[in-house]
Amino acid sequence: MQTSRPIYLQIADTLCDDILQARYKADERIPSVRELAAQQQVNTNTVMRTFETLERDGIIFNRRGMGYYVSDDAVERITSLRRDHFFDGGEMAWFFSRLRDLGITPDGLCALYNDYLSQ
Amino acid sequence: MQTSRPIYLQIADTLCDDILQARYKADERIPSVRELAAQQQVNTNTVMRTFETLERDGIIFNRRGMGYYVSDDAVERITSLRRDHFFDGGEMAWFFSRLRDLGITPDGLCALYNDYLSQ
Amino acid sequence: MQTSRPIYLQIADTLCDDILQARYKADERIPSVRELAAQQQVNTNTVMRTFETLERDGIIFNRRGMGYYVSDDAVERITSLRRDHFFDGGEMAWFFSRLRDLGITPDGLCALYNDYLSQ
Amino acid sequence: MQTSRPIYLQIADTLCDDILQARYKADERIPSVRELAAQQQVNTNTVMRTFETLERDGIIFNRRGMGYYVSDDAVERITSLRRDHFFDGGEMAWFFSRLRDLGITPDGLCALYNDYLSQ
DNA sequence: GTGGTCTAGACCACG
DNA sequence: GTGGTCTAGACCACG
């Protein structure tokens, strides 16, 4: 039952990560719905929903008959959205409460994060 | 779009928090299905799903005709489940990747966490 | 959730077994509701339901103010009830279908039963 | 009084029998919640409980948006679960004690089982 | 189309 | 009193 993060959002996350890491640059075309669906082994409807979401957030835009392209300010928008989610959306508070319950100290957290960054 | 955490799991979270903070102690009875349903303003079926979930995880157990009670090792089980979720379930990695993308440094994170703890 | 055999029937089973094995003989008094409840660590209501059931089946009878006694024909009644349940109530068919699905042969079954009897 | 086996478990039993008899094969889709509910004349919630139970036991799994499918090792799991129930869960001992009390001999049992198998 | 959540309520066995 | 099962139905996210 436990329904995990929806597939279409997982794909959106991946695309955003790709954009942040400049694998897709501003005004560059991203793969078509069909390509992504084939590559990710999902229904085309699922990818369409991903694109809808990203377009609504101004991260990608459509050139009729040509496909979807990365917005000029995609990086800023992604960062901004994530920042909002993180700070105001309660994600951070939730994480901190988990960390506290697990008995993790600030120093311990710092160490874990350093480990992560140096991977 | 963002589908929120189901009510029955939110109630489970709350009960677990209560147990962690010793508001309900080992072998102590928790409120009945009806009581919780009334208190939380939800249907009894919803609370039943909560109890099913917690029982399956060994956090509470049933005494027939008497209600549900906190398991002896409830605290350990909750902590363990959450720890697993956090470390192995990918929550921490996801958290750290967000932090990195937002340009937060280990020291910055440490400061934020300290703030949170001192609230 | 999985609700096992009701406690009051488990107690009835035990009493019937006791009668079959002559630990309680015809016209002999069985323990009081309170005694049994204390001994089995259950609610007196539960034992009362056990007695109701056994009385309805003619296995025990009440002497006012004195308690419950084993019927003269208790052994016959128990055996008859169990036989009916077993053969006509579908228990045997169910048992055999499980055995068949588990790939147990008549000889295998015979051997298992012999083992059980010689314990 | 004798509370019958819950409908959702009866449906689970039926599905397991179907799988054991290869009416549904590994990785094959089973009917949707709605289909089964209509066919069995029960509420969709009841079928959902069936699926929950079978999924928790690893007998079926969900492909999101597509329905439930038979696990690769469903047959092994069903057999194993039933075997455990039968031998360790005390079913067999219970049956044997009934047989003994009814005065059935190993040879008699063997004959009855042979009759059953040859039906 | 699929399943997942939830309500409002009933009924009942059990303790 | 307790929880467990079930119905009838709604709503919705997801694929």
Side-chain angles (χ1 to χ4, degrees), chain C residues 100-111:
Chain C
R100 188 198 48 207
D101 288 344
L102 293 175
I104 292 170
T105 63
D107 284 350
L109 174 60
C110 194

Side-chain angles (χ1 to χ4, degrees), chain C:
Chain C
M1 299 295 85
Q2 274 298 46
T3 154
S4 67
R5 190 163 176 77
I7 296 174
Y8 81 98
L9 286 181
Q10 294 180 34
I11 297 174
D13 285 342
T14 304
L15 286 174
C16 286
D17 287 343
D18 288 344
I19 292 170
L20 285 185
Q21 297 180 23
R23 279 196 280 272
Y24 298 120
K25 301 192 177 57
D27 212 49
E28 190 174 321
R29 186 177 173 276
I30 61 176
S32 73
V33 169
R34 290 191 182 180
E35 285 166 346
L36 262 181
Q39 173 192 318
Q40 301 277 348
Q41 309 257 53
V42 298
N43 194 300
T44 54
N45 286 334
T46 306
V47 178
M48 286 182 51
R49 194 178 288 249
T50 300
F51 283 11
E52 266 174 43
T53 303
L54 292 176
E55 188 176 32
R56 213 189 47 226
D57 286 341
I59 293 164
I60 62 176
F61 65 96
N62 184 260
R63 284 209 178 99
R64 295 244 227 127
M66 306 189 60
Y68 281 90
Y69 290 75
V70 176
S71 302
D72 279 345
D73 55 353
V75 169
E76 289 74 29
R77 283 179 181 272
I78 295 167
T79 305
S80 167
L81 279 168
R82 290 188 172 180
R83 189 191 310 278
D84 288 352
H85 239 99
F86 197 71
F87 290 106
D88 309 324
E91 270 177 8
M92 192 187 68
W94 193 80
F95 177 55
F96 282 167
S97 96
R98 278 290 178 278
L99 287 165
R100 188 198 48 207
D101 288 344
L102 293 175
I104 292 170
T105 63
D107 284 350
L109 174 60
C110 194
L112 285 167
Y113 188 36
N114 265 315
D115 282 356
Y116 176 82
L117 292 176
S118 62
Q119 275 172 22

Side-chain angles (χ1 to χ4, degrees), chain A residues 23-41:
Chain A
R23 279 195 280 272
Y24 297 120
K25 301 189 180 57
D27 212 49
E28 188 174 321
R29 187 177 173 273
I30 62 176
S32 73
V33 170
R34 289 192 182 180
E35 285 166 345
L36 261 182
Q39 172 191 321
Q40 302 276 349
Q41 308 259 52

Side-chain angles (χ1 to χ4, degrees), chain B residues 6-8 43 45-46 49 64:
Chain B
I7 297 175
Y8 77 92
N43 191 278
N45 282 331
T46 303
R49 302 207 75 181
R64 294 215 256 175

Side-chain angles (χ1 to χ4, degrees), chain D:
Chain D
M1 206 66 47
Q2 262 305 42
T3 158
S4 74
R5 191 162 175 75
I7 297 176
Y8 76 92
L9 288 180
Q10 293 180 36
I11 297 175
D13 285 342
T14 304
L15 285 174
C16 286
D17 287 342
D18 287 345
I19 292 170
L20 285 185
Q21 297 180 22
R23 279 195 280 272
Y24 297 120
K25 301 190 180 58
D27 212 50
E28 191 174 315
R29 187 175 174 276
I30 62 175
S32 75
V33 170
R34 285 163 171 79
E35 283 166 348
L36 258 183
Q39 170 191 322
Q40 301 277 349
Q41 310 259 54
V42 298
N43 192 278
T44 54
N45 282 331
T46 303
V47 176
M48 288 252 6
R49 301 207 76 180
T50 300
F51 284 9
E52 264 177 50
T53 303
L54 293 176
E55 186 179 36
R56 210 182 51 224
D57 286 341
I59 293 166
I60 60 175
F61 65 94
N62 183 256
R63 288 210 176 98
R64 293 213 257 178
M66 309 187 62
Y68 279 93
Y69 292 74
V70 176
S71 300
D72 279 342
D73 55 353
V75 168
E76 288 73 30
R77 281 178 182 272
I78 295 166
T79 304
S80 167
L81 280 169
R82 291 189 173 180
R83 190 190 308 279
D84 287 353
H85 234 100
F86 198 69
F87 289 106
D88 309 325
E91 266 177 14
M92 192 187 67
W94 196 80
F95 273 110
F96 280 170
S97 97
R98 279 288 177 280
L99 288 165
R100 187 197 52 208
D101 291 344
L102 293 174
I104 293 171
T105 62
D107 284 350
L109 175 59
C110 194
L112 285 169
Y113 188 34
N114 266 315
D115 282 356
Y116 175 83
L117 292 178
S118 63
Q119 274 172 22

